[in-house]
Amino acid sequence: MSVDSQKVRRACCSNLKLFLASMAFVYFSKAFAGAYMKSSITQIERRFDIPSSLIGVIDGSFEMGNLLVVAFVSYFGAKMHRPKLIAIGCVMMSAGCFLIALPHFLQGMYKYETSVYHNSDVNSTESFLPCLSNHSLAEADKMPDLETRTACEKAAGSSMWIYIFLGNMLRGIGETPIMPLGISYLDDFSREENTPFYLACIHTVGILGPMFGFMLGSFLSKIYVDIGSMDLDAVTINYKDSRWVGAWWLGFIVTGVVILLSSIPFWFLPKSLPKEGQEESKGTELSTVTEQENFLPDETQDEEKEKPVTFQEMAKDFLPSLRRLFRNTIYVLMILTYLVSVNGFIGMITFKPKFMEQIYGQSASKAIFLIGAMNLPAVALGIITGGFVLKRFKLGVMGAARLAFGASLGSLCLLTVQSFLRCDNAEVAGITASYQGGPQLSYDPQTLLSQCNMGCSCSMKQWDPVCAYNGMTYASPCLAGCRTSSGTGKERVFHNCTCTGELMTPGMNMSAVLGQCPRISNCDYIFKIYMSLSVLGSFISACGGTPGYVVLLRSIQPDLKSLALGMQTLIVRTLGGIPPPIYFGALIDQTCLKWGSKQCGGRGACRIYDADAFRITFLGLITGLYFLSNILWGGLYCTIVKTHKKSTLRNQAKENGLDGDKSGNGHANISIVKNKEDVDNESTI
């Protein structure tokens, strides 16, 4: 090998490694920002007092932005400078993150609903009288007139969520080039047998992004939203309260900076590279495409199309390329399978922290932390395992399909078991439990009233929970019948709470403290079982990720690879990314028992859900979608088997035809002997 060819080879390997490292970092950074967005859903919902259905629309705006440009970027971008398009996308994603954080600096400080008028002076001897002084609170239940409400909303900046919607959409537009252009660039210039391993490396590093995103979300959710702008001693709630809002905006500034840094290497990468290993063996590329050709439509296998060189020619070839792509049965079935499974996954990951908070009594911070510390490492290990199994056992398309189908089936079984794990509702007097003890059969605002608080003129809409020493939570100090109070801020204690006496023997403490009571059932033990099944299910499901991707890549023509990946992104994200947060959120809203009140009047965010209804709705919907996905996987596997058999018979027919030509054409066929073993076959007539 000459000195020049060695230099070319080293430069090729260096650039390919740089691209591989850059792709891994950009996958990390985009996943970091995406996971942080998911972890901040609850905080944004509370900060802007919006229902789960609207937060679903905001979350889905990322996919809407992706939808706007993905088809054109995937097709036209494949003919352009792919690394530089990825760099431009990263800059747009970074700008989107900064736009999401902007509302914090444009609106006033957060004011949570409370019936406690506190004094921040720790030396104050002020005594708050919840019951006797609450005659004016019932007036707060009345809706203000339109003019007053409009002025209030303008002052409070309650429509600032529009900036989050637009920023998230800009993130979606910027993310568009990364997957279709990046993966096709890597697959075009790497050895085919190395592609699964490279994909596994990228996705494994990428999965660290969600881990860090959820960890950051967990940390910032414990820091009050207006940190540095107010005296925190005056805050009467803590991070476990359903009204608490963490410093959600700070994380978007951090993620924006990280994404901006990830764009830098792509500005310096070339438009194309020599095929990996091409200098070593010219036959490498020809010998590795045989299996892929077996799964391509017959009519295009022997065609060698020239790539269009002008924009006009590229546009003219767009529709014919789409027709060629969607005539591929395996590709179409793969899209349908991904579409259904992504619906279930997006719905689950969006509302899983809320599910763990409402069903198992975990704080939002702890729920986010556990997802980042347990579920996501299991996913990373599963992706590595799937890629390793493919490379170690040299599995082809058939083996990859079997592995992906088996992983999908295993995760469905574990998800079904999770559906039967339940905890009792949190005991809140008048909502989930009666004032006399026992379950509340039905709830309406009037059930919050009882003989013990009838003379207090309490607000029915106010949510300012207190925990009594009898273990029962009351919606407000007034509804607990508390007559006096002492202390300030978080240390305030309410005394002579007449409603607590209905569940206590005479002489016991009739006091209450701020916040909801911890659960007293065996919920902690059930939650450990749930997390174990959830982590195991995450691992098994992730084992099928890389094999499924390999099946997709090997089922499409090389010249349609970027378009195929782009169309997959377009379809799956349009129908699998936008609708799930919306319809999951709308169905979850139906299980709400107690809604909060906005600062300017009207319904705010939900404070407490019916645990059983939430569990059945949430897990039932996810299980149903995964069940349908497995049915489609079964059909896809059968199609792959049939295609494999047809390709085998076709190859045998070609070989038999060549043998027949040699023996039946009436001419002598002379074979030149190169090896001693061929002596007996050196000439056939």
Side-chain angles (χ1 to χ4, degrees):
M1 186 180 289
S2 67
V3 176
D4 290 339
S5 63
Q6 286 180 344
K7 288 181 179 178
V8 170
R9 184 184 167 199
R10 279 198 297 268
C12 167
C13 294
S14 176
N15 281 330
L16 186 64
K17 288 177 181 177
L18 175 61
F19 182 80
L20 182 64
S22 302
M23 276 295 290
F25 185 34
V26 80
Y27 259 66
F28 166 85
S29 61
K30 77 182 184 71
F32 180 42
Y36 182 75
M37 180 69 193
K38 294 291 184 187
S39 72
S40 301
I41 287 293
T42 303
Q43 309 300 323
I44 295 171
E45 180 181 349
R46 293 173 181 174
R47 179 63 183 92
F48 297 96
D49 263 327
I50 51 180
S52 297
S53 53
L54 182 54
I55 203 70
V57 174
I58 293 173
D59 186 60
S61 64
F62 178 87
E63 317 299 345
M64 295 176 194
N66 207 280
L67 164 65
L68 292 175
V69 295
V70 66
F72 299 101
V73 168
S74 301
Y75 181 70
F76 296 112
K79 326 291 183 183
M80 299 177 186
H81 199 302
R82 287 178 281 186
K84 285 189 178 178
L85 285 176
I86 293 172
I88 293 170
C90 290
V91 173
M92 294 182 70
M93 280 198 296
S94 178
C97 289
F98 296 141
L99 183 59
I100 292 173
L102 186 61
H104 173 76
F105 302 97
L106 299 180
Q107 64 183 155
M109 290 191 294
Y110 174 54
K111 295 181 180 179
Y112 53 89
E113 59 173 316
T114 179
S115 61
V116 178
Y117 300 96
H118 49 268
N119 190 328
S120 58
D121 183 4
V122 294
N123 296 319
S124 172
T125 58
E126 174 190 6
S127 179
F128 176 70
L129 308 177
C131 180
L132 298 179
S133 63
N134 264 284
H135 295 286
S136 61
L137 280 181
E139 295 295 322
D141 289 349
K142 296 180 180 179
M143 283 289 294
D145 59 69
L146 183 60
E147 184 179 348
T148 305
R149 186 175 176 181
T150 303
C152 177
E153 288 179 351
K154 185 177 181 180
S158 58
S159 298
M160 290 288 180
W161 59 265
I162 295 291
Y163 286 93
I164 300 176
F165 178 89
L166 295 175
N168 207 32
M169 181 178 285
L170 187 59
R171 279 185 56 240
I173 294 172
E175 196 262 357
T176 305
I178 294 173
M179 195 278 286
L181 301 188
I183 297 300
S184 63
Y185 187 92
L186 181 67
D187 195 51
D188 285 346
F189 304 121
S190 64
R191 285 180 184 269
E192 186 164 325
E193 62 267 26
N194 288 340
T195 301
F197 179 70
Y198 289 159
L199 288 175
C201 290
I202 289 172
H203 285 101
T204 301
V205 175
I207 205 65
L208 295 175
M211 289 172 58
F212 280 84
F214 277 98
M215 293 292 189
L216 180 64
S218 175
F219 173 73
L220 293 179
S221 66
K222 291 184 178 180
I223 299 175
Y224 192 65
V225 60
D226 292 317
I227 180 75
S229 301
M230 65 174 297
D231 181 12
L232 297 183
D233 290 333
V235 180
T236 61
I237 56 176
N238 60 30
Y239 69 90
K240 296 181 180 180
D241 197 287
S242 61
R243 296 163 294 169
W244 175 273
V245 176
W248 60 273
W249 53 275
L250 191 55
F252 288 107
I253 295 176
V254 174
T255 55
V257 171
V258 172
I259 294 174
L260 193 60
L261 292 174
S262 72
S263 71
I264 295 174
F266 291 100
W267 296 107
F268 304 101
L269 283 163
K271 183 178 180 180
S272 62
L273 297 170
K275 185 79 172 178
E276 185 184 20
Q278 199 173 46
E279 293 79 8
E280 294 180 15
S281 173
K282 293 182 180 179
T284 300
E285 188 174 352
L286 295 174
S287 64
T288 55
V289 299
T290 305
E291 185 190 26
Q292 181 173 359
E293 288 179 349
N294 291 338
F295 292 89
L296 303 182
D298 297 339
E299 67 271 13
T300 58
Q301 282 188 20
D302 299 322
E303 296 178 6
E304 190 66 34
K305 287 196 163 190
E306 286 190 17
K307 294 183 178 180
V309 292
T310 67
F311 185 85
Q312 188 176 7
E313 289 173 336
M314 285 191 289
K316 187 177 179 181
D317 192 50
F318 181 67
L319 290 178
S321 297
L322 274 182
R323 282 196 294 269
R324 288 173 56 207
L325 181 62
F326 284 100
R327 280 200 296 261
N328 189 329
T329 307
I330 295 177
Y331 176 75
V332 172
L333 283 174
M334 282 292 294
I335 295 298
L336 290 174
T337 304
Y338 275 132
L339 179 59
V340 176
S341 60
V342 166
N343 264 264
F345 174 77
I346 294 295
M348 176 175 66
I349 200 67
T350 302
F351 294 105
K352 188 169 185 175
K354 183 189 286 285
F355 174 79
M356 294 165 66
E357 183 181 358
Q358 293 292 330
I359 305 303
Y360 297 106
Q362 307 300 314
S363 68
S365 174
K366 185 178 179 181
I368 295 167
F369 174 81
L370 289 174
I371 292 172
M374 298 182 69
N375 287 91
L376 295 180
V379 171
L381 184 60
I383 291 174
I384 295 173
T385 303
F388 174 78
V389 169
L390 284 179
K391 188 172 178 65
R392 174 68 178 81
F393 298 100
K394 298 180 180 178
L395 298 180
V397 176
M398 291 287 294
R402 278 194 291 267
L403 184 56
F405 183 29
S408 179
L409 201 58
S411 63
L412 172 65
C413 294
L414 290 173
L415 187 61
T416 304
V417 175
Q418 292 176 36
S419 302
F420 295 98
L421 299 176
R422 66 178 298 274
C423 282
D424 294 331
N425 277 307
E427 292 190 335
V428 182
I431 299 177
T432 61
S434 67
Y435 278 86
Q436 292 75 33
Q440 181 74 33
L441 299 178
S442 62
Y443 166 72
D444 63 70
Q446 294 304 314
T447 60
L448 288 170
L449 296 176
S450 180
Q451 290 295 328
C452 59
N453 58 29
M454 194 66 73
C456 294
S457 300
C458 301
S459 168
M460 298 294 101
K461 294 183 179 180
Q462 198 75 255
W463 178 258
D464 190 17
V466 293
C467 176
Y469 282 87
N470 60 9
M472 179 75 76
T473 299
Y474 296 87
S476 70
C478 181
L479 289 169
C482 300
R483 306 291 173 174
T484 60
S485 70
S486 61
T488 59
K490 296 185 184 71
E491 306 303 320
R492 188 182 291 275
V493 179
F494 301 92
H495 306 287
N496 299 324
C497 303
T498 55
C499 292
T500 65
E502 297 187 13
L503 294 175
M504 302 170 67
T505 55
M508 292 187 68
N509 194 333
M510 295 175 64
S511 301
V513 295
L514 289 168
Q516 287 184 243
C517 297
R519 305 211 179 186
I520 56 176
S521 62
N522 61 342
C523 204
D524 285 341
Y525 174 73
I526 297 173
F527 179 67
K528 291 176 182 176
I529 298 175
Y530 166 78
M531 283 303 301
S532 300
L533 292 172
S534 177
V535 170
L536 183 59
S538 299
F539 170 77
I540 294 175
S541 180
C543 284
T546 303
Y549 217 81
V550 168
V551 173
L552 179 67
L553 287 173
R554 297 293 171 261
S555 68
I556 49 183
Q557 292 88 348
D559 63 313
L560 295 178
K561 202 171 291 179
S562 290
L563 179 62
L565 293 174
M567 291 308 298
Q568 180 221 10
T569 304
L570 171 67
I571 296 169
V572 171
R573 288 197 164 173
T574 302
L575 301 177
I578 299 174
I582 299 173
Y583 68 76
F584 266 80
L587 290 173
I588 288 171
D589 279 344
Q590 300 302 311
T591 67
C592 183
L593 291 175
K594 181 71 175 73
W595 291 94
S597 298
K598 288 186 178 181
Q599 179 185 344
C600 303
R603 195 175 77 175
C606 185
R607 302 306 185 193
I608 187 169
Y609 294 84
D610 182 336
D612 283 332
F614 193 151
R615 175 179 57 85
I616 293 169
T617 301
F618 183 69
L619 290 180
L621 191 54
I622 296 171
T623 305
L625 289 167
Y626 273 78
F627 179 75
L628 180 57
S629 172
N630 275 270
I631 293 175
L632 290 170
W633 250 121
L636 173 62
Y637 180 72
C638 292
T639 304
I640 292 174
V641 171
K642 289 179 182 178
T643 306
H644 180 71
K645 287 180 179 178
K646 286 180 181 178
S647 65
T648 304
L649 292 173
R650 184 172 61 242
N651 292 337
Q652 288 176 352
K654 287 180 180 179
E655 291 173 3
N656 293 336
L658 290 173
D659 291 341
D661 289 341
K662 289 178 181 179
S663 60
N665 58 9
H667 300 282
N669 187 7
I670 299 174
S671 300
I672 298 174
V673 181
K674 296 182 179 179
N675 301 310
K676 292 180 180 180
E677 292 82 5
D678 295 328
V679 172
D680 296 330
N681 298 322
E682 70 179 39
S683 177
T684 58
I685 304 299

